[in-house]
Amino acid sequence: MESSHFKLLEFTSRELLVDALAHKIVTALSLAIEQKGFATLLLSGGSTPKKLFAKLSNRALSWENVRVSLVDERCVSVQSEASNERLVRENLLINAAKSAQFYGLMELNSAFEDLFESPDVVVLGMGLDGHTASFFPEDSELGSALYGEEFFYKTTAPTEPRERITLSRRFLLQSQNLLLHIEGEEKKTVFIKATNAQTVEHYPIKAMMQQTTPLLEVYYAD
Ligand code: 6PG
């Protein structure tokens, strides 16, 4: 069995988790701004990150120097409740973070690759089926999205909205900080199963633990 590389950070409450994760992200972004004048942040959608976005939106940072985008997107209108862009616009790009520069994934071109090259921070989520980003178990595009050379792929989710766009594993692994945010015992069980899985096919999150750099840092609370 291929070994899994990760660092698990367990918190006694979801609130403490969100505080620590927000601190980690802001520290990394500040450092990047200091070093190169701007910082890049790639975020996941779903329900888990809402409180994190709210917390981040109030943190002091020169947000006008932060480029924000998504790890993956559901191919729906930006007005749809299912849109990850809408989630970020409504929950993060408010308060202090209003001045951040947001780039959506619905109109991707090669400029994106330059703007987000070697991202400073990537925040992943994970589904109960072991998917992360839009890398879905047994999807016909899974192999390409995980091991292909392009910077993004179109994939298919097992549930609606099925059409997805995802940044590739190759692109995400250029990140300086690779963070996974999971909450609830059920997700921890799935995560542990993934670490012990023989192949990535049934647990795509495992593909983000095959390398030691960047090391996957898991932020977890029950
Ligand atoms: C998406 C995601 C996806 C998400 C997980 C976890 O658009 O669906 O980016 O990878 O992170 O599905 O979602 P929950 O937080 O809702 O469990």
Side-chain angles (χ1 to χ4, degrees):
M1 192 202 321
E2 193 185 336
S3 52
S4 298
H5 308 282
F6 62 94
K7 180 166 135 192
L8 180 61
L9 300 157
E10 287 207 43
F11 295 86
T12 47
S13 75
R14 293 181 183 190
E15 208 178 347
L16 288 174
L17 181 166
V18 164
D19 280 346
L21 185 50
H23 180 74
K24 168 87 184 182
I25 294 169
V26 169
T27 305
L29 297 178
S30 305
L31 185 70
I33 295 169
E34 227 174 271
Q35 288 172 345
K36 57 183 185 184
F38 68 93
T40 46
L41 172 62
L42 295 172
L43 299 164
S44 291
S47 53
T48 309
K50 263 198 182 177
K51 286 201 193 95
L52 172 69
F53 293 172
K55 171 93 24 176
L56 278 176
S57 76
N58 281 306
R59 294 297 300 262
L61 182 69
S62 48
W63 281 103
E64 66 280 7
N65 296 319
V66 182
R67 299 173 189 167
V68 178
S69 187
L70 296 159
V71 163
D72 66 330
E73 181 59 285
R74 296 114 180 248
C75 300
V76 292
S77 129
V78 181
Q79 277 82 49
S80 161
E81 293 266 330
S83 162
N84 286 343
E85 176 167 337
R86 177 173 170 181
L87 180 83
V88 171
R89 286 191 184 280
E90 289 183 352
N91 296 278
L92 173 68
L93 303 178
I94 52 173
N95 308 322
K98 204 175 179 161
S99 55
Q101 307 161 39
F102 181 78
Y103 299 83
L105 294 190
M106 293 305 278
E107 281 159 35
L108 271 180
N109 56 45
S110 54
F112 183 95
E113 230 184 320
D114 295 334
L115 284 167
F116 287 89
E117 189 188 12
S118 301
D120 296 301
V121 179
V122 166
V123 186
L124 298 170
M126 186 195 77
L128 285 174
D129 60 354
H131 82 260
T132 191
S134 278
F135 306 144
F136 294 98
E138 296 171 74
D139 176 28
S140 61
E141 284 306 306
L142 179 64
S144 308
L146 290 182
Y147 302 113
E149 283 304 308
E150 302 299 333
F151 78 95
F152 77 93
Y153 287 89
K154 291 192 171 166
T155 59
T156 309
T159 53
E160 294 295 337
R162 289 167 60 85
E163 258 183 81
R164 307 290 176 108
I165 292 173
T166 188
L167 297 181
S168 61
R169 173 178 179 270
R170 178 190 70 76
F171 192 81
L172 295 173
L173 291 190
Q174 292 171 17
S175 183
Q176 309 301 309
N177 294 280
L178 184 64
L179 314 174
L180 171 64
H181 179 188
I182 50 171
E183 296 179 352
E185 268 179 71
E186 260 188 309
K187 281 201 180 175
K188 187 178 179 190
T189 306
V190 172
F191 179 79
I192 299 299
K193 275 192 189 157
T195 65
N196 295 319
Q198 305 285 346
T199 67
V200 301
E201 213 187 328
H202 299 290
Y203 293 96
I205 184 64
K206 171 139 184 146
M208 307 311 276
M209 298 183 257
Q210 291 175 313
Q211 73 295 332
T212 48
T213 315
L215 184 66
L216 182 72
E217 284 186 39
V218 187
Y219 281 72
Y220 169 75
D222 278 354

